[in-house]
Amino acid sequence: MSTVLIIVIVIVALIAVALIYSASKKSGARKETARLQVDAKADDAEHHREEANRRRTEAAVAEERAKRQAAEADLHEEKAAGRDREVEGER
């Protein structure tokens, strides 16, 4: 009976060790998944920051382009007015 009891105790101990090992692996996998999710969120936030900076740069370029085109339009208006004065002077 003593031998059977020892065998049962060893089997129960092995089962307990296997359960503890399994729980440990699951915990490690959950921690790894959580870490990967945090990294993914950080990457997503960085992507949005980069996109915002790109859009701001595009807006600044468009604003400068609009200013230049307005200045060119004013220049053409002045040239047209000058030509009108020349025409009036020749009449």
Side-chain angles (χ1 to χ4, degrees):
M1 178 96 157
S2 163
T3 307
V4 173
L5 185 61
I6 291 174
I7 291 173
V8 169
I9 291 173
V10 168
I11 290 174
V12 169
L14 288 174
I15 291 172
V17 168
L19 290 174
I20 291 171
Y21 177 76
S22 176
S24 172
K25 285 206 56 113
K26 285 181 183 177
S27 175
R30 271 183 264 153
K31 286 179 182 177
E32 179 65 15
T33 300
R35 186 189 65 77
L36 290 174
Q37 287 176 340
V38 168
D39 289 348
K41 287 178 183 178
D43 288 346
D44 191 44
E46 182 62 27
H47 165 74
H48 287 297
R49 278 190 203 89
E50 290 172 359
E51 185 65 19
N53 287 335
R54 186 180 69 79
R55 298 284 176 108
R56 284 189 188 98
T57 301
E58 287 177 3
V61 168
E63 185 178 350
E64 287 300 316
R65 187 176 299 127
K67 287 178 183 177
R68 184 177 60 240
Q69 288 176 345
E72 289 176 2
D74 291 344
L75 178 62
H76 285 291
E77 241 351 280
E78 290 176 21
K79 287 182 179 180
R83 294 290 184 220
D84 285 342
R85 285 191 296 273
E86 287 177 12
V87 168
E88 290 297 321
E90 292 178 1
R91 290 187 181 177

